[in-house]
Amino acid sequence: MKKLNKKHITWITILVILILVIIMYIFNVANIKNKTIDRISEITIPFSLIVNPNNVDKNVIPKSIDTNVSDLNNEKFHVIKLVNNLDTTYQQTKKFSFLSNDQQKQLNDKVHDQSHQYIYKITSLNFGRDLNGKYLTISCNQYNDTKQIKSYRYRLHYKGNQITTSKYLGSTSAKYPPKYLLDGIVLGQDGIKKSKSFTQQIKTAIINSNLTTNSASDPGEFNQLAINLGLDPDESNKALFNLARYSNSRLTNFSIIGYELADVPRTSRIYIKQVDRKKTRYYTLNYDRNKAKYIYIQNGISSNSLSK
């Protein structure tokens, strides 16, 4: 009887322990599930991975300029007057006082390489703004005894009537003087103030087109999007393709970094910078001031600073 009681006690003990383990598991399993769910909910999955795994947000927004300009027409005539003053000073002194000492020497060496060569006039090609401030582009036009006119181009940043920096851009040769800003001709609608809202329209159009998430592989797929924006599809599809292809999910990795205005052609150019994981890309949004509309967007920086 004692042996039987010992057996019973052993089995009862095992049974009690088993029941306690089961009870503890039942009471804790709910907490385990809740903690697991809470932990998962704390993990943030980047939206870009859901939308487009190939375009992970870099969280980089390029620094932009202020496009809320009021009166660029007055700025144009200020630039023309400023360049006329530079030319008058040169004619009187025969010195390029707006250039650095090294730049003056280099230009003089080029101009006077032959005795019959000389700078006849300094003219203005365009004006605008970049991340460093307001600038204008000039041409120092060299004449000689041939039919070719050599044009030396410089970009000058300025504040008021003061030239602050100068950069040599290059030179060209042609039979005629380079195109320049036209005195007495108003700019009309310049397209700069509305450029920020138009780039927002481009962002919205790309997002709504679903081309980013579908990994578009051909620029031709952006023809209709360009048409919807009022842009020339053949001139714009490649830039729109790249803009979408290298954008992050929210299309926040590109900004307006500058603008430039010329009279020949009568165009305003808005410059856009895009940053992705591998490289920096640039685009030019062109505004036709005769038609008062944006006409196309293209890859790279377009300017008449080095045109003939």
Side-chain angles (χ1 to χ4, degrees), residues 193-238:
K193 192 169 185 177
K194 295 179 180 178
S195 60
K196 194 169 184 179
S197 62
F198 190 78
T199 54
Q200 185 58 50
Q201 290 180 44
I202 293 176
K203 292 179 182 182
T204 302
I206 291 174
I207 291 172
N208 291 341
S209 71
N210 206 33
L211 289 170
T212 306
T213 56
N214 288 338
S215 300
S217 58
D218 184 73
E221 296 178 58
F222 287 81
N223 281 8
Q224 188 58 52
L225 189 148
I227 293 170
N228 293 344
L229 290 166
L231 302 175
D232 184 308
D234 295 327
E235 296 288 342
S236 304
N237 57 15
K238 292 180 181 178

Side-chain angles (χ1 to χ4, degrees), residues 100-115:
S100 69
N101 291 334
D102 287 342
Q103 289 172 336
Q104 289 187 60
K105 184 179 184 309
Q106 289 167 2
L107 183 54
N108 275 314
D109 289 344
K110 292 175 183 176
V111 172
H112 301 300
D113 181 46
Q114 298 183 47
S115 60

Side-chain angles (χ1 to χ4, degrees), residues 28-45:
N28 282 284
V29 72
N31 288 331
I32 292 170
K33 286 182 179 180
N34 288 337
K35 288 179 180 178
T36 303
I37 292 170
D38 290 342
R39 178 58 185 153
I40 292 173
S41 67
E42 289 174 2
I43 300 174
T44 302
I45 302 175

Side-chain angles (χ1 to χ4, degrees), residues 41-88:
S41 67
E42 289 174 2
I43 300 174
T44 302
I45 302 175
F47 183 65
S48 57
L49 291 180
I50 300 173
V51 176
N52 189 345
N54 296 320
N55 294 332
V56 180
D57 284 347
K58 193 179 178 182
N59 294 323
V60 173
I61 301 176
K63 184 180 178 182
S64 62
I65 62 164
D66 182 11
T67 58
N68 190 29
V69 294
S70 55
D71 191 355
L72 287 177
N73 198 60
N74 283 342
E75 195 65 37
K76 172 190 169 179
F77 292 125
H78 173 74
V79 165
I80 291 174
K81 183 178 179 181
L82 182 56
V83 175
N84 286 341
N85 289 339
L86 295 180
D87 180 61
T88 300

Side-chain angles (χ1 to χ4, degrees), residues 168-181:
Y168 179 61
L169 301 179
S171 64
T172 64
S173 292
K175 291 183 179 180
Y176 305 99
K179 305 299 187 297
Y180 50 87
L181 294 175

